[in-house]
Structure formats: structure tokens, C-alpha cells
Amino acid sequence: MAKTDKSASAPAPEESEAGAAGASMSTAPAEDRGQAMPGSFGGVRAPGALGWLAWSAREATGWVRWCWRQLTSMRVALLLLFLLSLATIPGSLVPQTGVDQLKAEQWQKEHESLAPLYEKLGLFHVYSSVWFSAIYILLFVSLIGCIVPRTWKFVGQLRGRPPAAPRHLDRMPAHATWRTEAEPEQVLAAAGRLLKRRRFRTETAAGSVGGEKGYLREAGNLLFHISLIVLLVAFASGQLWKSEGGKLVVEGDGFANTLTQYDDFKAGSLFDADDLDPFEFDLDSFSGTYERTGPQKGTPRDYAAHVTYRDKPGAPRRKATIKVNEPLETSRSKVYLIGHGYAPMVTVRDGKGDIAFRGPIPSLPLDSNVTETSVLKVADYRDKDGKPDDLGFQGNFVPTLDLRTGTMFSQFPALDNPRLVLTAYRGSLGVDSGVPQSVYQLDTTKMKQFKNEDGRAFAQAMKVGDTMTLPDGAGSLHFDGIRQWATFQVSQKPGNATALAGAVAALIGLAGSLFIQRRRVWVRAVKGADGTTVVELAGLGRSESARLPEELADLAAALQPDAPPVAAGDGDDDATDAGDDATDDAREGASPAPEAPAETSEGARA
Amino acid sequence: MTLAAATNENLAHISNVLVYSAMAVYTLAFLAHIAEWVFGSRSAVGRTAAALTAPATPAVTVTTAKSAQSGGTAVLERPKVVTRSAPGSRDVPDGPGAAGGSEKGDLYGRIAVSLTVLAFALHVGGVLSRALSVQRAPWGNMYEFSTTFAMAAVGVYLGLLLAKKNVRWLGLPLTTSILLDLGLAVSVLYTDSDQLVPALHSYWLWIHVSCAILSGAALWVGATSSLFYLFRDSHELRAAEGRPAGAWDNVLSRLPSAATLDKFAYRINATVFPLWTFTIIAGAIWAEAAWGRYWGWDPKEVWSFITWVAYACYLHARATAGWKGRKAAYLALLAFACYLFNYYGVNILLSGKHSYAGV
Ligand code: HEM
């Protein structure tokens, strides 16, 4: 990788000193700005097969180590993060089978030429596709590879001491100095106490005191990255062990949580039917309210399903209300209210006058005003001569009939003026044919529609209490009443609590990582040539912060009672120079001093 | 019942009047800001500042409450803290501001800020009366979301001004954006005041949406700062290399320095990132309650996630040598574009569980 970026070029001379003073202030991996191709790791190759073997082994481990270093570098983490956000996009543009199956199928029908290609690319299930998984798995491998060494480094830092004061404190990002008549030892002792009181970790050296604070920043950062792993694991386990089923329940009926009771059911690949939570509930009543006036007339305002439930057979029964945002929580499952509709209750009598059917007619809502299609299949029927046959009813139910036009589209979703319109058929329902049938569809191919005397198709609109008498004494249907039904989704998802805990930990870690400053402060006090003591304070932060100069000024102010400044007379610059002269020999181990660059004012900004 | 409906309609009407009045006053503020920049460009200080001379006095005194009181005995000297920029960054002072030292420009700038305060008051009134008219949080549809979003952005700006931050240069871009946002809200996105569908009935609406709005408003400030950083940075680069001045140099020279803008953008973005994280977590908790799953790759969720990862990218870029500066700023702008797309793009172009109440 050729480097063209200016800021990435060789460090400025003064950076090396700041580097020593700022060393191990973070556990971020050192940036490997070097070559992309490391040449040979194997070194010298001895002659013969053994030599080749040894060389290959060295080469191989070298490459593996190099790849690992690359994968766990900040640069690759950045790249993978960027790729992750890019890879997430297609899933929001192409309908996903896992999100909305119907929409995805419709899209596939509309785009016949593209669909097969998209299918191959996994664009209909992006979030479980190979390439998406590859990115996040690599990212998380990188993350683990990053966290482990960083944790060790951090533990090491926790045991370490703040480094000795750098040679040129005035080259630190924040610096203050003054002269005092107090002795250097006194000043340093006071500074040490001050720093300790402010919860700095301190280290006294000859002529200076160093302090460091804000270790929690790194702890927070590690906690955040670890929480990301916890979140991923929780999410994955939720996907693998989850189960989710739908069930329609009519008022007065009940549901027991076993596989056979569900209308539809899906589960993660590791789900086991024995894991189902054995609760039961009865739907006592359902209520819905709707906007009565205004442009959004008919929009639902509130739905409530009133149920009686128990956690397992034999447990005490309890009452509960399930609303859209308020699922029923049993010991391991949640029951959500998903939809609702009306079920006309009818009694069908056969030609002999015996009851052939009594109960709800399954009806499906077609629009937001709950116009429903209704189908009733009566297999247990005899005609007036006692001959067994099938009856079929088909029609619509509307909760609110438009009295002016009489259209069979409901005008409002509540039961203001309900009507049931049915026509009837006789013949074979085909239920015995072995082909599975939908209860909502009537197959009339082998049936004959009842006719009026005038030969027109027989049909009747009924209010509650009305009876429809079939022609030729074939029987009757009585409209007994209306019950509401509700559909429920029962979902059981392990790992939700873990995910929540991970999210909260991530948030705490993040706050620590971003709001806590890791910083170092040094105080140096040395006798100057004129017999007064030169006090110098300097601060260095991990990230440029506006608060560092403020904190330093604060510390300086707090130190001044113990090191009262001498009368201003000679300027600051002199004082600094004197301090430099006097202390140059006293310090050791610092890097050679470059020329001091021009200083700028920054404290007043931001 | 009818009486209540009538008061509600009255309130909704009052709300509309207030929002329109606020727009009128924002327009005046916008014009005053223009005047501020125009007078500033003629000022002598503005012209000298364009030469990018380094300041004569490098030292700054940071005065703290303590240092002011320190010692009853003759206080001789306050601690002076000299700060210096990070190694490698350019030593360029902040520009003098939009007014560029011109007194007339400054006067217009102050008038603009006062007008913004007035417009903000009207705006708050508009949002509050809308909330009262529907008796819920005023965030049920895009019209309400947009008006509240603009209000939050102005609030963040005024808050920063109150905290004595150097943000007056934001006035013009802010009023411009606010007028665009409100204009779009009252024309295209307008929806009559109404109730919510049951799925939105939850106190998580308050928590989740208010955090989303506040995050967005603050991220707007960060993104604007990043954008101006890019302009100002090329301006400084041009000046440093002695290349001929560009057409906008007169304007750019009055902005804060590139280093200041960059740092300001970082601080804003870094501060908002946890809030945005919380917004997503709160949304997941709400989704778990409303739809039975905390994460379902719904378009809105997908784009919140993309926005989040993009900002994480930006923060990582800042921590990675070689990626600081312009590259990081591009990432910040990209991340904010994701936020905007999540709001306008997803609501209008992509349908999912998050589409309610018309738009
Ligand atoms: C899974 C996706 C990841 C996300 C969402 C993420 C997010 C973040 C965020 C938001 C920060 C900013 C906190 C701060 O500035 O102190 C951060 C810092 C950091 N991340 Fe990540 N990260 C991810 C993966 C990684 C990986 C794979 C690595 C290792 C290569 C890594 C290493 C670091 C380091 C070292 C810092 C601290 C930088 C500093 O001290 O200034 N992160 N991460």
C-alpha cells in the first residue's frame, strides 16, 4: 500500500517525545503502515530436504502470523465495518423472504429475468447469505483477535506506573509554569497530595511527580467490544432455538400450546417440540375501537383481547388483557395480538329439521373496514328424504352495511349494522378426496347452486336473528349472532435477556469509552538559577480534549497556595527558559530536543 | 365529545399558524445572516484575516473559578495554560466569524440570533399545540417528525450558543436547512392532526422517537461542521501552498480553523453516538413488545443499523492514524447521509412495518 497521505508520513520529530510520554495510554494496536508484501519470512534456506522443510515451516508460520496481524489491525477492522454497512444495504431494497414472504414472492413474479440471478446471489435472504455471514464472521474474528491482546495489555497497564516526566514539559499539549519561593520538595509533596486527592495514580521521581487518570476509558472500550460479541451470540442463539406460531381463536374458544393446535408454525433449526411452554388460554372477549370522524375515519385506535390463562394444566387460572403493544407473558413464551375479525354464528338444520351444524363461520377480512368472505361447509347433512349429502354456503359478512347503496363493502369496521349475505350449494364438497382444502374456499365444481322459483340464484341478506330457508325444504340456516375472533402469535425466543444485558453493557462501555478521558499530568519543581523554584505543570490526553487545559488550570490554581507565585516582574518566557536551563542536566533518558515549533492558541477555541 | 373535537381542531389550527409564523421569522433570520456575511466580506478585518496570519500572542489564560479566588493575599499571577495543537496539524487560527470584525455585520448577526430565538419560541409553541391537539407525543407522522426535528436542531444550536461555544457561523446553514425542512413539512408532508394506530401506543414512542430526533438534530450539527471542515481545509491547504485564492476564500477565511471544525464535529458525533445506540436499543425493546421480535431486518431497522455502523466506522477512522482528517470527514458525511436516508428515503421509498398514517 503506497502511502500518499500526509498525516501518515514519518512522524514529526516532536511526536517521538510525545510518543514516549504518551506510550501505553491506550491498548489500540500499533498501526502497521508497512508493506503489503512482507517478502520472505523463512530467512536463509539450508541445502537439502530438511533445510527446505525448516524453511517452509518458518515461511508458513510467518504468513499465518502476518495474516492474523492484518486481520486484527485497526485498518482491517475499519474496512470490515465499512463492508458490513455496505452489505446491509441490499436487504433493505430487495424484499426479503425472511421479512415478508408474500412480498418477496410477488417481486420474484414481477421480475422474472432478474429473480434467478438474485436468488443465486442470495439477495432474497441477505442476512443469512454466505457473503454477508463471511463479513460479520471475519469482523468478529478480528474483534476477538483484537480484544484478547488488548485485555492483556490493559491488565499490564493497570499494574504499571505513570511514566517519568518528559524532558520538555512545555511541548506537551497543555502547559503552565510559574516561580515560587517554596522549596521544590515542598511543592512536589503538595503536588503529589493534590494529584492523589483527585484520584490520579501518581509516581514520584527525582524533581517531578507524574499522575495518570481515566483508566476506565479503556475498560469501557473493552467492555463495549466484548458486549458486541455477547450480543451476536444472543442473537444467533435466538435464531437457532426460536419458535413462532400463529393461531386464530374465536371468542369463547381456547388454545393450548402444543404443535397440533397451531394454524402455522415455524422454528429455528435447533428447536425441539418438547421445549414448548405448556400454557393454555381462553379468549373471553375481544374489543376494538375505531376513529369515528375525520379523514382517518375507521382507523383502529385500540384493540384488546381479554383472556383467562394458566401457565400449565392444573395451575391456577388468571385473567389478562392482550393489546398490540402488550403481549401476554407466560413463563417462557409471549403471546402477541396480531389481527382480528368477525365470525357469524349460525345453526344449520337439515331436511329433517335436525341440527347439522352449529358454530362460527370462518370468515376472512378483505379490507380495513372488515368486509369478510365467509364460507361454510356442512358435511353432516341429510336431505328431506334422509339421503346423506353435502351443503356449502358462500358469501360475505359486513359489520356495517351502507344502507343507501347496499354495496357489500363494509363502511366501517365496528358492528354498526351487520349483515350476512349467503348463497347455498348442494353436492359433493370433495372433502373426502384426500386433497387438503382451505376452510376459506369452497370448491363448487361438483356442487349445484340452489335456485329460486324464478330460476335465479338463491341468496339472502340476513340480520342477526334472521333465518334463511333453503328452497324445496332442503333445510335452513339461522343467523344466531356474531362473535369476534383474534389471531395470536406465540413466540418463544431464548436469548432475549442475554441480548438486553449485552446491549446495556455495550451502552455503559461506550459511555465510558467516549466520555472518560485518559490523561497524564506532570509537575516538575526545580531550583532556578536565581534561587526561586520553577514550577512546571503539563498535561497530555489520549484524545484531544478541551477539558485538559481546564483541568490543568484547575490543578495549577489548587497548587498555588502551596507554591505561591513570586511577584510578576520578569516575564513568563524567562521563567520557562530558566527552568529549562536548570533542569536539563537533572533529567535523563529523554529523546533529543528538536527545535520548538511555533505555538498556537487553542484553549480559546471550541 | 364534539366540544373536545372542536378544541382539538382549534389547537391544530393554532399550531399551523404558529409553524407558519416561525417560518416567516426564520426567513428574516436567514436574511439577517446573509447581511452579516455580506457586511463581513467588506470589512478590513475580514480581508486581513484572509491572509491567515498567525496570532501575535500565543498564550491563552484559562481562568477557572478557583484561580480567580485563589488566595486572599495579594494574588500575583493566575496560572496561565499554554496549549498547542497536536503534532502534525496546521497552525492556523480561527477566522473572525461571519461578521469578519465589521460592526454592522456583527449587528446583523446579533439580530439574526435574536430572530432565531423568537422563531424558536413560536416553533416550540407550534409543536406543543400540535401535541395538545392530538393528546400524544407529536411524532406520529412525517410532518410532525419534521417540525420537531427542526425544532430540536435549532434547540441544539441555541444551546451551544448559550454554552458559549463558537458556533455562530452555523447560523446561516442552520436557518437554510430549517427553512427547507419546514417548507417540505408544510407542503409535501402535511398530515392533519390525528390519533395513532394501536402499534404506536406506547411510552417507548416518547423515549425512542425523542432520542432519534435529538440524535438527528445533533448529528446535523456534526455533519455541517464536517462539511465546512472539508471546505476550510482545502482553503488552508491552498493558502499554505501559496496557490491562488479561490472564489470563496473571503467566506472560508472567516470560518473557524479546519482543526477546530474537525474537533468540534468529532466531539458532537462522539457525544451523540451513545445516544443513537440507545435509540436503537429502545427501538428494539419496543419492537419486541409490539411485534414479537426485537430485530427483524425491517427497512427502518436496517438503515438505523447502517447509520450506526457508519458512525462506528467514523469513530474507528478517527482512532486509526492515516484515516484522520479528510477521510474521516467523508465518512462522517456518509454516515449522516445514511441517517437522512433512513428518514426520508425509507419512509417514502421503502415500505415496512414502520410506515404509518399516510406518510
Ligand atoms: C464489531 C464491530 C465494531 C464496532 C461496532 C466497534 C465500535 C467502536 C467504537 C464506537 C469505538 C469508539 C470508542 C472510542 O473512540 O473510544 C471503537 C473503538 C475502538 N475499536 Fe472498535 N468496533 C468494532 C470492532 C473492532 C475491531 C474488530 C477492533 C480490532 C481490530 C476494534 C478496535 C478498536 C479500538 C482499538 C478502539 C479504541 C480506539 C481508541 O482507543 O481511540 N474494534 N470501536
Side-chain angles (χ1 to χ4, degrees):
Chain A
M1 266 182 208
K3 309 170 294 139
T4 47
D5 197 85
K6 287 191 180 57
S7 54
S9 57
E14 72 265 37
E15 210 172 292
S16 53
E17 183 173 346
S24 62
M25 242 176 138
S26 140
T27 57
E31 217 30 45
D32 173 11
R33 300 169 185 163
Q35 349 126 262
M37 286 297 290
S40 167
F41 294 105
V44 186
R45 182 162 151 188
L50 268 180
W52 182 85
L53 220 65
W55 176 84
S56 306
R58 286 198 303 270
E59 187 81 337
T61 47
W63 273 105
V64 168
R65 215 183 283 141
W66 180 81
C67 288
W68 180 249
R69 263 212 318 273
Q70 291 300 310
L71 184 62
T72 56
S73 75
M74 284 294 278
R75 188 151 30 87
V76 170
L78 185 59
L79 190 76
L80 287 171
L81 266 174
F82 191 69
L83 276 179
L84 181 68
S85 58
L86 274 185
T88 316
I89 296 177
S92 73
L93 306 177
V94 180
Q96 301 290 296
T97 42
V99 177
D100 192 338
Q101 177 107 35
L102 281 177
K103 216 168 122 193
E105 278 166 13
Q106 196 186 341
W107 195 95
Q108 283 162 343
K109 276 201 201 96
E110 284 166 13
H111 301 78
E112 271 184 11
S113 51
L114 274 180
L117 177 67
Y118 275 33
E119 182 63 58
K120 265 207 194 92
L121 292 175
L123 286 176
F124 298 115
H125 50 95
V126 166
Y127 307 111
S128 53
S129 70
V130 178
W131 45 276
F132 188 80
S133 314
I135 293 173
Y136 76 75
I137 289 172
L138 271 180
L139 182 60
F140 275 87
V141 171
S142 165
L143 188 55
I144 293 168
C146 189
I147 289 174
V148 173
R150 285 182 62 198
T151 309
W152 288 127
K153 232 171 159 182
F154 182 56
V155 169
Q157 284 173 21
L158 280 181
R159 284 196 306 241
R161 311 301 308 175
R167 190 177 158 89
H168 292 284
L169 284 182
D170 60 328
R171 295 208 180 117
M172 289 294 113
H175 174 254
T177 183
W178 70 88
R179 288 163 178 227
T180 178
E181 265 159 9
E183 289 304 308
E185 294 74 40
Q186 270 176 304
V187 176
L188 289 179
R193 281 196 305 275
L194 174 67
L195 288 177
K196 280 219 180 76
R197 208 162 49 238
R198 303 216 169 177
R199 316 246 319 268
F200 277 85
R201 170 180 294 190
T202 59
E203 176 79 354
T204 313
S208 68
V209 179
E212 184 162 1
K213 197 174 165 180
Y215 291 84
L216 269 180
R217 174 204 163 89
E218 210 64 32
N221 192 277
L222 287 171
L223 175 65
F224 170 71
H225 285 90
I226 293 170
S227 311
L228 290 181
I229 297 178
V230 173
L231 266 175
L232 181 78
V233 169
F235 188 74
S237 63
Q239 294 294 314
L240 289 174
W241 277 283
K242 75 171 176 194
S243 71
E244 200 170 270
K247 174 69 180 173
L248 185 150
V249 185
V250 180
E251 281 173 322
D253 284 354
F255 169 78
N257 193 23
T258 54
L259 268 185
T260 50
Q261 288 240 346
Y262 281 104
D263 300 334
D264 58 87
F265 188 82
K266 54 183 188 200
S269 42
L270 296 181
F271 169 80
D272 177 357
D274 295 339
D275 291 343
L276 277 179
D277 187 16
F279 69 90
E280 319 174 328
F281 71 85
D282 294 327
L283 177 61
D284 302 331
S285 66
F286 182 90
S287 54
T289 54
Y290 306 90
E291 190 71 15
R292 283 273 163 198
T293 53
Q296 295 192 12
K297 182 178 167 201
T299 315
R301 289 300 157 226
D302 189 41
Y303 290 133
H306 307 280
V307 299
T308 308
Y309 78 102
R310 50 183 171 182
D311 276 333
K312 52 175 177 278
R317 292 178 166 276
R318 276 175 287 182
K319 296 242 176 237
T321 302
I322 308 178
K323 292 188 172 192
V324 175
N325 272 318
E326 297 160 29
L328 170 69
E329 297 191 27
T330 66
S331 58
R332 274 180 291 137
S333 306
K334 284 188 179 173
V335 183
Y336 296 87
L337 176 60
I338 298 296
H340 88 115
Y342 299 101
M345 303 297 292
V346 296
T347 305
V348 178
R349 288 176 190 274
D350 61 17
K352 295 247 165 237
D354 297 330
I355 292 177
F357 173 86
R358 169 169 272 168
I361 302 185
S363 302
L364 271 188
L366 296 175
D367 59 24
S368 56
N369 280 332
V370 209
T371 304
E372 292 184 327
T373 56
S374 309
V375 164
L376 179 64
K377 303 178 188 182
V378 183
D380 195 13
Y381 167 83
R382 280 159 207 283
D383 66 10
K384 61 180 186 240
D385 307 323
K387 216 176 84 207
D389 204 353
D390 292 345
L391 272 189
F393 295 89
Q394 177 170 296
N396 292 101
F397 172 80
V398 291
T400 301
L401 179 76
D402 186 345
L403 288 175
R404 282 166 305 151
T405 64
T407 165
M408 277 316 282
F409 285 103
S410 171
Q411 302 302 303
F412 196 74
L415 290 173
D416 287 356
N417 190 14
R419 286 289 193 293
L420 175 64
V421 180
L422 288 178
T423 178
Y425 297 84
R426 187 177 162 173
S428 167
L429 287 169
V431 281
D432 308 325
S433 66
V435 183
Q437 281 196 347
S438 161
V439 292
Y440 302 111
Q441 268 164 5
L442 189 67
D443 177 6
T444 57
T445 47
K446 290 190 191 136
M447 303 190 92
K448 238 177 72 196
Q449 194 169 19
F450 284 95
K451 296 278 194 302
N452 282 326
E453 279 115 58
D454 56 11
R456 284 190 309 145
F458 173 82
Q460 187 178 338
M462 287 172 282
K463 292 188 202 169
V464 173
D466 286 354
T467 303
M468 171 166 113
T469 308
L470 297 174
D472 306 327
S476 67
L477 179 144
H478 182 74
F479 188 5
D480 303 335
I482 301 161
R483 288 206 191 147
Q484 302 199 56
W485 52 258
T487 44
F488 296 95
Q489 178 185 310
V490 179
S491 60
Q492 193 171 328
K493 280 204 201 96
N496 274 9
T498 320
L500 185 62
V504 170
L507 204 57
I508 293 171
L510 195 58
S513 168
L514 289 169
F515 298 144
I516 295 174
Q517 298 295 327
R518 178 96 172 258
R519 65 257 189 215
R520 289 179 179 159
V521 167
W522 292 277
V523 181
R524 175 175 284 141
V526 182
K527 264 267 187 287
D530 61 352
T532 58
T533 302
V534 179
V535 184
E536 271 189 292
L537 256 74
L540 174 67
R542 162 83 184 93
S543 50
E544 334 102 82
S545 160
R547 273 176 289 165
L548 184 67
E550 283 161 31
E551 186 174 29
L552 199 72
D554 224 25
L555 285 171
L559 191 57
Q560 284 199 338
D562 287 306
V566 285
D570 33 10
D572 261 15
D573 293 344
D574 290 353
T576 314
D577 289 347
D580 264 348
D581 296 343
T583 49
D584 262 350
D585 342 72
R587 308 182 196 117
E588 72 255 52
S591 54
E595 286 304 304
E599 290 168 342
T600 46
S601 61
E602 251 188 286
R605 294 182 201 163
Chain B
M1 177 67 205
T2 32
L3 197 66
T7 35
N8 287 353
E9 260 168 46
N10 261 342
L11 272 170
H13 180 67
I14 290 172
S15 164
N16 290 353
V17 171
L18 283 172
V19 169
Y20 275 104
S21 318
M23 283 177 71
V25 183
Y26 280 130
T27 311
L28 293 178
F30 169 77
L31 293 174
H33 273 303
I34 298 245
E36 179 190 16
W37 281 95
V38 169
F39 281 110
S41 76
R42 296 196 196 134
S43 105
V45 183
R47 275 198 298 276
T48 17
L52 293 177
T53 41
T57 46
V60 210
T61 310
V62 177
T63 319
T64 60
K66 262 193 196 123
S67 67
Q69 308 157 353
S70 69
T73 53
V75 177
L76 305 166
E77 209 180 307
R78 284 183 188 143
K80 249 183 210 172
V81 175
V82 179
T83 56
R84 44 194 290 152
S85 51
S89 65
R90 238 175 269 125
D91 286 325
V92 175
D94 286 346
S102 139
E103 259 175 43
K104 223 163 173 185
D106 188 53
L107 181 66
Y108 274 107
R110 283 165 192 280
I111 291 175
V113 172
S114 316
L115 286 170
T116 308
V117 172
L118 174 63
F120 180 65
L122 291 168
H123 197 158
V124 171
V127 170
L128 278 184
S129 48
R130 176 84 178 195
L132 286 175
S133 88
V134 287
Q135 291 167 357
R136 57 170 166 78
W139 309 317
N141 51 50
M142 270 185 90
Y143 167 74
E144 293 171 356
F145 196 95
S146 297
T147 41
T148 315
F149 179 83
M151 182 185 93
V154 181
V156 168
Y157 164 71
L158 292 178
L160 287 169
L161 270 186
L162 261 185
K164 299 256 187 315
K165 303 284 181 205
N166 174 12
V167 290
R168 217 172 90 186
W169 61 272
L170 264 174
L172 188 57
L174 178 84
T175 43
T176 314
S177 315
I178 294 305
L179 285 173
L180 281 177
D181 177 75
L182 287 180
L184 213 62
V186 297
S187 56
V188 182
L189 305 175
Y190 186 78
T191 319
D192 269 327
S193 99
D194 221 316
Q195 294 306 313
L196 292 176
V197 294
L200 285 182
H201 281 297
S202 170
Y203 57 89
W204 285 105
L205 172 70
W206 287 95
I207 301 171
H208 171 65
V209 185
S210 64
C211 286
I213 290 176
L214 195 62
S215 306
L219 291 177
W220 177 87
V221 174
T224 311
S225 191
S226 285
L227 184 69
F228 281 80
Y229 156 78
L230 287 174
F231 293 136
R232 169 81 191 194
D233 185 56
S234 14
H235 163 72
E236 286 178 12
L237 210 68
R238 250 197 323 270
E241 291 174 1
R243 276 186 282 149
W248 290 95
D249 274 6
N250 186 307
V251 169
L252 293 175
S253 64
R254 280 177 274 156
L255 289 175
S257 76
T260 307
L261 288 171
D262 185 38
K263 233 183 271 176
F264 180 63
Y266 169 71
R267 273 182 212 143
I268 294 268
N269 288 335
T271 311
V272 178
F273 189 74
L275 184 65
W276 181 242
T277 310
F278 174 73
T279 305
I280 296 178
I281 295 174
I285 296 175
W286 186 9
E288 155 71 29
W291 301 320
R293 85 285 185 293
Y294 59 87
W295 195 264
W297 298 111
D298 181 75
K300 200 97 191 168
E301 294 167 352
V302 169
W303 280 92
S304 308
F305 177 72
I306 295 172
T307 310
W308 185 77
V309 175
Y311 273 104
C313 248
Y314 166 74
L315 292 178
H316 264 223
R318 293 277 316 197
T320 310
W323 267 83
K324 289 184 172 136
R326 293 187 76 90
K327 284 192 208 163
Y330 287 128
L331 275 180
L333 288 180
L334 209 63
F336 187 66
C338 291
Y339 180 92
L340 281 188
F341 184 79
N342 193 17
Y343 174 43
Y344 289 108
V346 172
N347 281 22
I348 296 170
L349 303 177
L350 309 172
S351 67
K353 279 186 185 267
H354 278 81
S355 345
Y356 315 97
V359 202

